[in-house]
Amino acid sequence: MKKDFFSNKDVVSLKNYYLNNKVLINNFKEFLLNSNDALIKLVNGVYIYINIEKAFVMLYGDNKNIINSNEELCILTFDEFKKLFYNDDFEKLIDALSNASINLEVKIRNYKSKDLWIKIKGENIKDEKGQIVGFIGCLNDITREKKLEVELERLVSYDELTGLNNKKNFKRIINEEIRNHIRLKKRGAFIMINLDNFKFINDSCGHEAGDLYLIEFSNKLKKLVRDEKYACRFSVDEFIVFLPYINSIEEINDFTRKIMSLFENSYIISDKNIYTTTSIGVSLFPDDGQSFESLLKSADSALYKAKTNGKNQKQMFNDKISEEINRIYLIHKGLRNALEKNEMYVVFQPKIKLHNNEVDGFEALLRWNSREIGFISPGEFIPISESTRLIIPIGKFVLREVFSKIRYLLDEGYDNFKIAVNLSEIQLRDGGLVSYFNSLVKEYNVPPKYIELEITESMLMKSVDNNIECLMELKRLGASIALDDFGTGYSSLNHLTKLPIDVLKIDRSFLIDMKKNNKSKYIIENIIELSHKLNITVVAEGVEEEEQVEYLKSINCDKVQGYYYSKPQEFDNIINMLSKKGI
Ligand code: C2E
Ligand code: CA
Ligand code: CA
């Protein structure tokens, strides 16, 4: 273990003391000379000693270069020394002292505000107890080596003519981007740009003019991209741009329009007007390819299509996918203010008791008629509203509608019904559901027993405990719980015993399957039997034919819901489906 040569000195005034103490300086030199040879290999640099306890740094050697001082020996307080470093590099250095030996490369700025790269190399110093008290080593100026390194990096990574990424470097960058996009579940666009008739420019105006043309185009391209790292010169007259994190096809259209517009006017190269056009092929990550090679292949075949269609145009690899994405984008945009624009409303589908054909409740189903897009089914917009969390305000709207309609029915003298509301997992997990529910109970003075909440199994599979706790709370308040779409997901009978369920809704697909498949029949019959033993009411969904009704009756299914009886209807049309008590 190295002993600290300063350790027994009592420092009064740090700088003056050390600077006037020649013995000390000699001690320092001697200490250095006795140190590990490798440690004190000094190139354009200084020796460094750091004393943590007293918070100072001693530099000895050619201080001119490093800190622009003519003194051979400089003593700096930590604050003075810190000013040399960028960001928190100084703190990083101090943290690194916990390692026995240190070998760091950092960029610093000397007191003339000149940037230089230094290598800090050395060993920590410990006291008798093994505590780290300092550091001894050297600072070497490695700016020249770094510059060479950068230059070398430029040579192997960038295209010499245009300064854009070369193929190899671009591939590395995009592979990294692909990983980020997978992690964040995002889309990216791979855009291949090929100049039309570039050979003609070379042939008619000479290679030099061709080069100048490429340089000029590249400079314009650099200004269009979000970051130059996303652009590449792929071959002589072919360029690739990656558009990261795109949400809509419009972003791609916007970008490719800008690219095309770079060719609207001729370029003036060595006093000559040179005019050309460009063809563009676009592929999408992850839809058209999940690796650099497959994206390239897809973009290349889109480009081929653009060329054979007459050049000077853009082609998507897969038009169908881009239409889909566009629609998702439109729906997402429309959903943001659909409620404000009163485009959403709720319809009601009756549930009928099989033993007496009476309606004893309804399911509330959301509808959206967008002024811009037209009518959109909930099967399409609910998942999008979930992924954007817009389901929270939308779900609140549905609940409020239902409470207000129940209030109306109660005021009209009906009280033998329930209205079911579909809940989304996002609402259940949000945390605000129970309190919102309670506030509606108070506002409308509606007892929760008139409300049924429909949930699906998959909702309970996600963060199960929290969701079940929330459901339990709603059930304690008096609402009943229905398990929706049974037969489409896990269909775990286990759930029936473990969850707080009052109603089981057998999915329409089960009924359809039953016709062809005897197994489905047995399963339904057994599920009904089991449910009854567990005191669970069974509802069959999507009943369309009389035959189904008769069969369901024969196996003791409690209720049905489906087009056979009624499609979902506007509220005014369903009121008279209910009978008043005692009438
Ligand atoms: P769901 O909860 O399974 O609702 C039943 C769906 O089946 C409804 O479709 C209904 O119109 C349809 N249906 C009813 N009877 C028949 C029939 O006899 N034959 C056929 N072919 N279909 C029938 P809808 O209204 O398009 O809703 C689709 C899904 O959207 C719902 O499935 C539900 O998961 C979701 N949804 C609807 N409204 C809401 C809501 O307010 N909140 C939430 N979170 N989801 C909702
Ligand atoms: Ca439902
Ligand atoms: Ca259902």
Side-chain angles (χ1 to χ4, degrees):
M1 190 190 302
K2 225 163 266 127
K3 264 188 97 188
D4 191 349
F5 66 101
F6 280 120
S7 55
N8 53 3
K9 294 279 179 273
D10 181 16
V11 184
V12 186
S13 161
L14 213 66
K15 281 197 170 182
N16 289 339
Y17 179 84
Y18 286 124
L19 287 173
N20 295 327
N21 193 330
K22 289 279 184 281
V23 180
L24 198 71
I25 295 167
N26 286 335
N27 273 353
F28 184 35
K29 289 182 190 167
E30 202 177 305
F31 180 81
L32 291 167
L33 289 172
N34 290 335
S35 304
N36 187 341
D37 276 356
L39 169 80
I40 53 165
K41 256 211 150 71
L42 207 54
V43 189
N44 302 324
V46 296
Y47 295 110
I48 177 170
Y49 165 78
I50 297 176
N51 185 316
I52 295 179
E53 189 200 350
K54 314 259 164 54
F56 73 90
V57 176
M58 189 158 142
L59 300 172
Y60 174 73
D62 178 10
N63 275 316
K64 181 88 185 134
N65 187 34
I66 306 281
I67 58 168
N68 193 36
S69 161
N70 291 324
E71 303 289 335
E72 202 181 23
L73 184 83
C74 294
I75 294 190
L76 310 173
T77 62
F78 269 14
D79 280 341
E80 287 167 326
F81 189 58
K82 213 169 160 172
K83 288 193 187 117
L84 290 168
F85 291 84
Y86 280 102
N87 308 322
D88 50 0
D89 283 354
F90 174 71
E91 279 76 17
K92 279 188 203 144
L93 170 67
I94 298 296
D95 284 347
L97 296 187
S98 58
N99 301 316
S101 74
I102 287 156
N103 195 349
L104 279 178
E105 289 183 359
V106 284
K107 190 161 96 176
I108 62 166
R109 99 203 114 196
N110 72 13
Y111 294 140
K112 256 176 146 183
S113 290
K114 186 181 135 198
D115 275 343
L116 66 158
W117 276 93
I118 54 165
K119 182 187 233 148
I120 306 173
K121 209 172 162 198
E123 292 169 2
N124 65 18
I125 304 167
K126 291 179 178 163
D127 65 8
E128 287 79 4
K129 289 186 214 126
Q131 285 274 346
I132 294 161
V133 293
F135 171 76
I136 182 96
C138 50
L139 300 183
N140 285 320
D141 177 5
I142 53 162
T143 311
R144 266 185 56 179
E145 289 91 319
K146 272 283 168 193
K147 275 192 180 148
L148 273 173
E149 224 175 76
V150 170
E151 179 62 16
L152 208 66
E153 158 89 10
R154 200 183 62 77
L155 281 176
V156 298
S157 307
Y158 298 93
D159 171 51
E160 214 175 336
L161 183 70
T162 62
L164 289 168
N165 282 309
N166 64 17
K167 209 188 277 190
K168 190 172 144 230
N169 197 37
F170 186 64
K171 188 174 164 183
R172 183 187 59 77
I173 292 167
I174 298 310
N175 278 330
E176 198 180 307
E177 278 304 321
I178 286 176
R179 282 191 292 277
N180 293 337
H181 279 63
I182 292 173
R183 190 165 44 84
L184 302 169
K185 295 200 175 77
K186 290 287 183 187
R187 274 204 167 82
F190 197 91
I191 298 175
M192 207 158 179
I193 304 159
N194 189 295
L195 308 188
D196 296 328
N197 309 324
F198 181 70
K199 193 175 170 311
F200 178 74
I201 299 177
N202 266 341
D203 291 348
S204 58
C205 310
H207 281 263
E208 212 169 300
D211 281 356
L212 289 173
Y213 189 95
L214 291 173
I215 291 171
E216 181 131 357
F217 167 69
S218 301
N219 289 339
K220 289 182 179 171
L221 182 64
K222 284 176 195 169
K223 293 200 188 102
L224 280 189
V225 291
R226 196 190 291 183
D227 186 321
E228 276 184 33
K229 74 176 184 181
Y230 294 126
C232 156
R233 181 173 178 215
F234 198 67
S235 66
V236 182
D237 59 348
E238 193 154 75
F239 299 81
I240 300 177
V241 171
F242 186 75
L243 288 189
Y245 310 119
I246 54 160
N247 294 311
S248 74
I249 298 296
E250 218 18 68
E251 287 173 44
I252 300 174
N253 294 343
D254 217 45
F255 183 78
T256 52
R257 256 195 305 272
K258 283 183 190 151
I259 296 281
M260 305 286 270
S261 74
L262 295 182
F263 295 89
E264 270 164 14
N265 300 316
S266 60
Y267 289 22
I268 300 168
I269 307 275
S270 332
D271 292 336
K272 277 194 200 109
N273 268 316
I274 301 183
Y275 178 81
T276 185
T277 55
T278 187
S279 298
I280 299 175
V282 182
S283 61
L284 293 176
F285 172 86
D287 314 79
D288 305 332
Q290 274 138 46
S291 66
F292 182 86
E293 279 75 19
S294 56
L295 285 166
L296 180 67
K297 206 167 148 227
S298 303
D300 202 31
S301 58
L303 180 64
Y304 178 78
K305 200 157 74 174
K307 291 269 185 199
T308 49
N309 273 358
K311 300 182 178 172
N312 192 21
Q313 59 185 276
K314 172 204 82 182
Q315 284 289 339
M316 302 292 295
F317 175 69
N318 189 331
D319 291 327
K320 206 165 154 265
I321 284 173
S322 43
E323 269 166 32
E324 270 167 34
I325 297 170
N326 235 5
R327 185 160 167 90
I328 291 173
Y329 174 72
L330 272 180
I331 290 176
H332 176 188
K333 214 172 83 185
L335 275 175
R336 278 197 297 234
N337 45 26
L339 286 177
E340 284 154 43
K341 288 157 89 182
N342 287 324
E343 292 174 344
M344 287 188 164
Y345 58 97
V346 178
V347 291
F348 299 84
Q349 187 178 35
K351 297 184 184 181
I352 289 101
K353 286 188 281 188
L354 273 176
H355 75 97
N356 61 4
N357 266 6
E358 273 181 15
V359 170
D360 81 333
F362 305 93
E363 176 173 4
L365 292 159
L366 184 58
R367 294 292 174 259
W368 178 27
N369 195 356
S370 154
R371 248 162 272 171
E372 265 170 57
I373 322 168
F375 187 85
I376 302 130
S377 88
E380 192 174 8
F381 73 78
I382 294 280
I384 298 173
S385 70
E386 285 177 330
S387 69
T388 52
R389 297 184 64 81
L390 285 165
I391 190 69
I392 304 283
I394 291 174
K396 282 184 174 173
F397 163 78
V398 176
L399 266 176
R400 175 173 288 278
E401 277 295 295
V402 167
F403 268 89
S404 98
K405 296 301 190 272
I406 294 176
R407 181 69 263 157
Y408 178 87
L409 290 175
L410 292 176
D411 289 345
E412 289 292 302
Y414 301 100
D415 78 343
N416 49 348
F417 67 91
K418 273 182 199 292
I419 297 189
V421 179
N422 290 286
L423 280 188
S424 147
E425 199 255 334
I426 311 288
Q427 281 171 284
L428 212 51
R429 209 174 359 148
D430 174 55
L433 182 64
V434 174
S435 67
Y436 187 71
F437 186 90
N438 266 326
S439 71
L440 290 176
V441 169
K442 286 203 192 87
E443 187 180 335
Y444 288 95
N445 191 21
V446 161
K449 66 169 184 177
Y450 292 100
I451 298 268
E452 190 155 279
L453 298 162
E454 296 198 0
I455 53 155
T456 60
E457 282 179 298
S458 60
M459 283 165 63
L460 300 170
M461 306 299 287
K462 299 178 191 161
S463 65
V464 192
D465 289 350
N466 273 347
N467 289 356
I468 292 182
E469 190 36 53
C470 179
L471 283 178
M472 287 294 218
E473 184 57 33
L474 291 165
K475 197 176 151 98
R476 269 195 291 272
L477 293 170
S480 56
I481 311 290
L483 188 61
D484 205 355
D485 301 343
F486 196 79
T488 56
Y490 306 89
S491 310
S492 159
L493 295 177
N494 221 0
H495 286 150
L496 300 185
T497 54
K498 293 238 172 79
L499 300 174
I501 291 163
D502 306 285
V503 177
L504 183 76
K505 297 188 76 181
I506 297 175
D507 192 69
R508 176 169 175 261
S509 58
F510 238 128
L511 284 192
I512 294 169
D513 222 31
M514 206 174 65
K515 262 191 161 174
K516 308 172 259 176
N517 187 346
N518 262 338
K519 266 193 204 157
S520 294
K521 232 174 170 169
Y522 298 136
I523 293 173
I524 293 190
E525 290 172 16
N526 279 299
I527 286 174
I528 292 179
E529 211 182 306
L530 175 72
S531 300
H532 286 162
K533 279 187 187 139
L534 294 168
N535 224 0
I536 293 172
T537 306
V538 180
V539 181
E541 285 190 292
V543 175
E544 292 181 352
E545 297 157 8
E546 187 169 0
E547 200 189 333
Q548 291 171 325
V549 175
E550 290 313 317
Y551 169 70
L552 288 164
K553 256 186 202 164
S554 76
I555 59 167
N556 286 330
C557 177
D558 302 289
K559 297 178 198 174
V560 288
Q561 185 185 340
Y563 295 171
Y564 178 73
Y565 287 98
S566 165
K567 286 200 168 179
Q569 309 258 351
E570 299 221 9
F571 183 69
D572 290 347
N573 300 336
I574 60 140
I575 302 172
N576 54 15
M577 291 182 188
L578 285 172
S579 56
K580 284 189 190 169
K581 222 178 173 183
I583 295 177

